[in-house]
């Protein structure tokens, strides 16, 4: 196997094109065998095998910097930069990340996973290079989907004007996760399918040569004519009008053509876009046929491509409820930022194509677009992963909340996910809780999810956010009728005297399990589903405080999270002397791997909750005088002013 002899890119440079093509086959086999077992991003990686080999034979990584936008398509890059021996640990706890990671290799320069950032970082890196008087090349591989992200346009605008020497390799496979959308996608399609761009440029140059020169004063006329002729003949001058030299389109699976284009780009010593056309899923029939299905996910049966059967997910319950509500309410509209499948909106899109909007990887635009829809009397629901809503934080505040507009943010993947630090959905509680006028809720199961979504769509008082996790729901039966939940009111699921557990969202069932276990130890523990982060149910906090001991539970960052809100409420209510323990995500990034591993590690489990209750009871006993029979808790006594 040639791949076993590749310890780094330098081992590629002695290989002939036929050998590189053989190596490409080996890389595809390792990728599909591994991803079939570990899960991951199959189709994106199958599409960039030749591109990866061409990049690593033309440029000298790590001296030359190759940046992968999103970097979900960096598995071949990892395989040719010495990580074959570890590749079987992909996305496992302690194993290789599913995205580039500088801790793994000097060939990786960023640990990222959000789209449309590589161009900006590449221009910054290239500018630092120039200021340091260095000469290495900086190459950013950006997908056609990533190019629909606003940041990419900001970078193109700046880079083309600033003339920083950067090479952008546009990996155009016509796909985002689903088929790509938007004007830029159509522009690329025109180039891909039109007469060969370079031949047209040559023709345009011939035509211009024949034009008579009228002398210097008319030079400007000729110059403008040149531009006019180019615009007339060429399918687009988009990149060149922004100051980037455009090369392409190049067959992204033809190593010789790729190497030639990359060498030409390198020789130009200016901002260059090399437009490469690839097939997402290349080499594996089922992945080529369904690149959206095999964008991510797994494990799957390698022979048939069949994924292991899954149970109903929260996303599916969300999507089905959206359809159900939309059938009754014509004002309901749905928005996604390039993730109709992942958010569960595919069925809505089929049934209400005129009321469904996939805006591309453009969360900022999606949020402000929702504001416009709401201002116009519609009831927009923006379905977005917690981690990706971070991209639209200013729009949530400035364009939605400040305007008091009724936009619903259906926040999926709220909590820990296998993707790791780049994708953990743990900051939304903290980053939304401080926004004036927003309602933030977390349903404890799929039945509450459907009711909370219904409540949010009917709520007209301003923005409304509900958060729910990735993956299988709890198998709770769904009520036949949708009902509104009382905003700001949680629910006591189990009364108790010795301590209270205030659980947020899907951690209520684990809190009940902990209480049942503690009952056998003689502890009588109250359990409540807080249901709302904002407005917080202060009566519930008072009732919990009356036990003298509170444990809060959230699958979110502790800093500024739900537990912090409870502490603030106790202080604001003057309820001192209450022992509090907060369970949640500590102040660090949580890496890739099975979420259950990390949840256990941070005490987010029924056992962890029980341990926290024991701890808070013991702490309380250490500090409280022996309770006289019938004595009320200090908090209750404090409240009534009694001794
Ligand atoms: C800001 C942001 N929004 C959404 C996503 C989810 N996402 C991951 S890859 C992807 C599609 C990327 O398409 P493209 O750049 O064309 O790469 P390809 O998978 O086609 O190689 C999306 C939407 C993301 N990573 N970042
Ligand atoms: C690369 C990327 O950001 C997406 O593909 C993400 O990994 C999808 O996550 P889910 O698998 O939870 O839909
Ligand atoms: Mg693409």
């Amino acid at each position: 196997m040639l791949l076993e002899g590749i310890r780094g890119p330098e081992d590629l440079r002695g290989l002939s094109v036929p050998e590189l093509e053989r190596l490409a086959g080996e890389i595809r086999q390792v990728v599909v065998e591994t991803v079939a077992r570990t899960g991951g991003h199959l189709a994106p990686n199958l599409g960039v095998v030749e591109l990866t080999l061409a990049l690593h034979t033309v440029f000298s990584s790590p001296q030359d910097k190759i940046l992968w936008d999103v970097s979900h398509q960096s598995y071949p890059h990892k395989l040719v930069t010495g990580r074959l021996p570890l590749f079987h640990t992909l996305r496992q706890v302690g194993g290789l990340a599913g995205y580039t990671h500088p801790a793994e290799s000097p060939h990786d320069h960023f640990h990222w996973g959000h789209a449309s950032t590589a161009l900006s970082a590449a221009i910054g890196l290239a500018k630092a290079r120039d200021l340091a008087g260095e000469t290495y090349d900086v190459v950013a591989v950006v997908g056609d989907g990533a190019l629909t992200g606003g940041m990419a346009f900001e970078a193109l605008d700046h880079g083309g004007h600033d003339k920083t020497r950067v090479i952008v390799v546009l990996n155009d496979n016509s796909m985002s996760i689903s088929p790509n959308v938007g004007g830029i996608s159509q522009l690329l399609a025109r180039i891909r399918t039109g007469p060969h761009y370079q031949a047209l440029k040559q023709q345009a140059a011939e035509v211009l040569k024949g034009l008579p020169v009228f002398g210097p004063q008319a030079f400007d006329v000729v110059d403008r004519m040149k531009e006019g002729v180019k615009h007339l003949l060429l399918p687009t001058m988009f990149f060149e009008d922004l100051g980037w030299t455009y090369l392409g389109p190049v067959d992204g699976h033809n190593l010789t053509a790729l190497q030639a284009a990359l060498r030409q780009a390198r020789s130009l010593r200016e901002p260059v876009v090399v437009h490469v056309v690839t097939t997402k899923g290349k080499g594996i029939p089922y992945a080529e046929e369904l690149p959206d299905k095999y964008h991510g996910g797994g494990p799957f049966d390698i022979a048939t491509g069949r994924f292991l059967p899954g149970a109903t997910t929260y996303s599916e319950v969300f999507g089905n409820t959206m359809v159900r509500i939309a059938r009754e309410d014509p004002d309901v509209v749905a928005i996604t930022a390039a993730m109709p499948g992942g958010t569960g909106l595919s069925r809505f899109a089929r049934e209400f194509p005129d009321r469904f909007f996939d805006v591309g990887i453009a969360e900022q635009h999606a949020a402000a677009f929702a504001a416009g829809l709401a201002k116009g009397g519609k009831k927009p629901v923006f379905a977005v992963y917690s981690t990706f809503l971070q991209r639209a934080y200013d729009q949530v505040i400035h364009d939605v909340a400040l305007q008091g507009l009724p936009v619903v943010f259906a926040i999926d993947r709220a909590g820990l996910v296998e993707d790791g630090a780049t994708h953990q959905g743990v900051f939304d509680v903290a980053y939304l809780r401080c926004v004036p006028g927003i309602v933030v809720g977390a349903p404890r199961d799929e039945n509450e999810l459907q009711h909370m979504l219904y409540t949010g769509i009917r709520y007209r008082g301003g923005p409304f956010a509900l958060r729910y996790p990735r993956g299988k729901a709890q198998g709770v039966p769904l009520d036949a009728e949708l009902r509104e939940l009382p905003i700001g009111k949680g629910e006591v699921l189990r009364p108790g005297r010795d301590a209270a557990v205030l659980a947020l969202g899907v951690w209520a069932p684990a809190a009940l399990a902990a209480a049942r276990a503690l009952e056998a130890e003689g502890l009588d523990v109250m359990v409540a589903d807080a249901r709302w982060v904002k407005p917080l149910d202060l009566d519930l906090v008072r009732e919990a405080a009356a036990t003298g001991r509170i444990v809060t539970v959230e699958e979110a960052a502790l800093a500024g999270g739900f537990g912090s809100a409870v502490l603030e409420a106790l202080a604001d209510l003057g309820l001192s002397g209450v022992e509090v323990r907060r369970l949640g995500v500590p102040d660090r990034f949580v890496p890739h791997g099975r979420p259950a591993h990390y949840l256990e590690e941070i005490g987010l489990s029924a056992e962890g909750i029980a341990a926290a209750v024991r701890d808070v009871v013991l702490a309380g006993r250490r500090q409280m005088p022996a309770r006289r029979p019938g004595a009320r808790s200090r908090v209750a006594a404090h409240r009534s002013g009694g001794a």
Side-chain angles (χ1 to χ4, degrees):
M1 197 171 167
L2 279 171
L3 186 56
E4 285 166 342
I6 306 298
R7 292 174 307 278
E10 60 285 352
D11 293 334
L12 293 175
R13 291 179 200 129
L15 296 181
S16 65
V17 169
E19 285 170 323
L20 287 170
E21 283 163 350
R22 203 174 104 212
L23 179 62
E26 293 177 6
I27 289 171
R28 285 194 165 89
Q29 196 54 33
V30 169
V31 167
V32 69
E33 283 170 0
T34 305
V35 176
R37 190 170 39 78
T38 64
H41 291 93
L42 180 68
N45 283 284
L46 292 172
V48 297
V49 175
E50 289 78 13
L51 175 57
T52 303
L53 294 175
L55 284 164
H56 278 297
T57 47
V58 170
F59 296 99
S60 305
S61 173
Q63 295 75 12
D64 292 331
K65 313 302 178 196
I66 300 174
L67 309 184
W68 296 87
D69 192 272
V70 185
S71 77
H72 64 309
Q73 76 298 53
S74 62
Y75 301 175
H77 162 80
K78 294 197 177 206
L79 285 169
V80 299
T81 51
R83 284 168 274 187
L84 172 64
L86 284 174
F87 197 67
H88 65 283
T89 67
L90 184 68
R91 294 164 58 94
Q92 310 304 299
V93 172
L96 289 182
Y99 302 87
T100 52
H101 202 314
E104 284 180 17
S105 165
H107 296 277
D108 292 7
H109 306 289
F110 291 90
H111 178 43
W112 56 25
H114 286 196
S116 321
T117 65
L119 231 171
S120 302
I123 295 168
L125 194 53
K127 183 56 75 180
R129 169 204 63 202
D130 296 346
L131 291 171
E134 297 185 41
T135 59
Y136 55 81
D137 281 303
V138 178
V139 182
V141 182
V142 182
D144 57 311
L147 203 58
T148 62
M151 276 185 71
F153 285 92
E154 292 165 13
L156 280 173
D157 182 39
H158 174 226
H161 172 74
D162 185 73
K163 289 298 176 201
T164 311
R165 178 170 59 87
V166 165
I167 296 169
V168 171
V169 177
L170 170 55
N171 174 30
D172 178 8
N173 53 24
S174 320
M175 296 294 291
S176 188
I177 291 182
S178 310
N180 204 1
V181 295
I184 192 88
S185 173
Q186 287 166 0
L187 174 150
L188 296 176
R190 273 205 310 282
I191 301 175
R192 274 198 311 274
T193 54
H196 195 276
Y197 189 90
Q198 298 310 328
L200 277 174
K201 276 178 81 172
Q202 197 51 42
Q203 280 174 23
E206 295 308 318
V207 169
L208 295 170
K209 270 190 207 139
L211 291 176
V213 178
F214 304 98
Q217 75 280 5
F219 187 73
D220 175 50
V221 171
V222 171
D223 204 29
R224 282 214 299 280
M225 281 178 75
K226 278 184 181 177
E227 290 309 299
V229 169
K230 273 187 186 176
H231 277 87
L232 195 65
L233 283 175
L234 302 179
T236 175
M237 286 281 289
F238 172 77
F239 293 105
E240 297 191 348
D241 285 348
L242 286 177
W244 294 74
T245 297
Y246 169 91
L247 300 179
V250 184
D251 175 353
H253 302 295
N254 179 323
L255 275 161
T256 307
L258 282 168
Q259 289 175 327
L262 293 174
R263 288 191 182 103
Q264 185 187 357
R266 187 178 54 188
S267 68
L268 292 173
R269 323 300 295 165
E270 61 190 24
V272 188
V273 171
V274 183
H275 181 191
V276 171
V277 180
T278 61
T279 300
K280 196 163 183 174
K282 180 78 175 178
I284 300 291
Y286 49 74
E288 283 193 31
E289 190 186 334
L290 298 168
D292 48 354
K293 181 178 175 186
Y294 292 94
H295 167 86
F300 56 84
D301 176 281
I302 195 166
T304 63
R306 191 172 305 119
F307 287 101
L308 304 179
T312 305
T313 62
Y314 290 102
S315 309
E316 284 171 74
V317 172
F318 161 74
N320 294 337
T321 308
M322 280 293 290
V323 168
R324 184 175 168 187
I325 296 170
R327 285 176 181 158
E328 305 300 320
D329 186 339
D331 286 330
V332 172
V333 293
I335 303 164
T336 179
M339 307 193 75
T343 56
L345 281 175
S346 298
R347 188 176 156 212
F348 186 100
R350 287 192 299 272
E351 186 151 341
F352 305 102
D354 298 339
R355 294 158 58 187
F356 168 75
F357 307 103
D358 179 352
V359 299
I361 307 179
E363 288 83 2
Q364 295 173 325
H365 165 61
F369 173 57
L373 284 161
K375 178 60 85 175
K378 306 313 277 182
K379 296 175 180 174
V381 178
F382 175 24
V384 59
Y385 292 11
S386 165
T387 190
F388 301 140
L389 183 59
Q390 293 164 193
R391 184 61 65 84
Y393 190 43
D394 181 53
Q395 287 73 23
V396 170
I397 295 172
H398 174 267
D399 301 291
V400 178
L402 179 60
Q403 318 304 323
L405 290 170
V407 171
V408 175
F409 295 94
I411 302 174
D412 198 336
R413 273 53 169 192
L416 296 187
V417 294
E418 203 165 295
D419 269 328
T422 55
H423 285 65
Q424 301 299 7
V426 296
F427 304 111
D428 55 277
V429 172
Y431 71 66
L432 291 176
R433 187 168 78 82
C434 59
V435 178
I438 194 168
V439 173
V440 182
R444 65 170 176 267
D445 55 39
E446 57 269 44
N447 188 42
E448 285 267 311
L449 191 163
Q450 65 169 359
H451 294 317
M452 194 172 280
L453 176 60
Y454 179 67
T455 306
I457 289 173
R458 294 173 67 85
Y459 177 68
R460 302 283 88 204
F464 185 107
L466 64 155
R467 74 184 309 257
Y468 44 92
R470 179 181 200 277
K472 284 188 295 188
Q474 297 167 44
V476 167
L478 300 181
D479 295 337
E481 291 302 314
L482 294 177
R483 57 184 163 80
E484 288 194 57
L485 299 174
I487 292 176
K489 293 306 290 171
E491 188 176 338
V492 175
L493 304 176
R494 185 190 193 279
R497 247 173 4 102
D498 295 328
V501 180
L502 299 181
L504 181 69
V506 295
W507 283 95
L512 281 171
R516 281 191 291 274
L518 290 166
E519 191 173 16
E521 300 169 26
L523 284 174
D524 182 24
V525 179
M526 166 187 164
V527 175
D529 167 12
R531 192 179 274 149
W532 310 99
V533 174
K534 186 173 192 177
L536 187 65
D537 181 346
L538 298 182
D539 291 338
L540 192 62
V541 172
R542 287 189 188 90
E543 191 173 344
T547 70
R549 306 171 189 95
I550 294 177
V551 172
T552 63
V553 188
E554 61 195 298
E555 194 168 335
L558 284 171
F562 164 68
S564 299
V566 170
L567 287 173
E568 291 162 20
L570 289 171
D572 296 346
L573 295 170
L575 297 175
S576 60
V578 180
E579 282 292 338
V580 179
R581 294 290 178 278
R582 295 177 298 139
L583 291 178
V585 179
D587 187 22
R588 58 180 169 83
F589 289 109
V590 180
H592 56 277
R594 276 180 327 104
H597 170 85
Y598 296 105
L599 290 169
E600 193 68 37
E601 198 178 67
I602 59 182
L604 278 176
S605 62
E607 297 67 33
I609 295 168
V613 172
R614 289 189 202 97
D615 179 54
V616 80
V617 168
L618 283 177
R621 282 183 181 153
R622 277 197 296 274
Q623 292 188 20
M624 283 177 74
R627 288 178 72 148
R628 297 185 309 285
R632 286 184 299 162
S633 77
R634 203 160 19 149
V635 169
H638 168 83
R639 192 174 55 193
S640 62

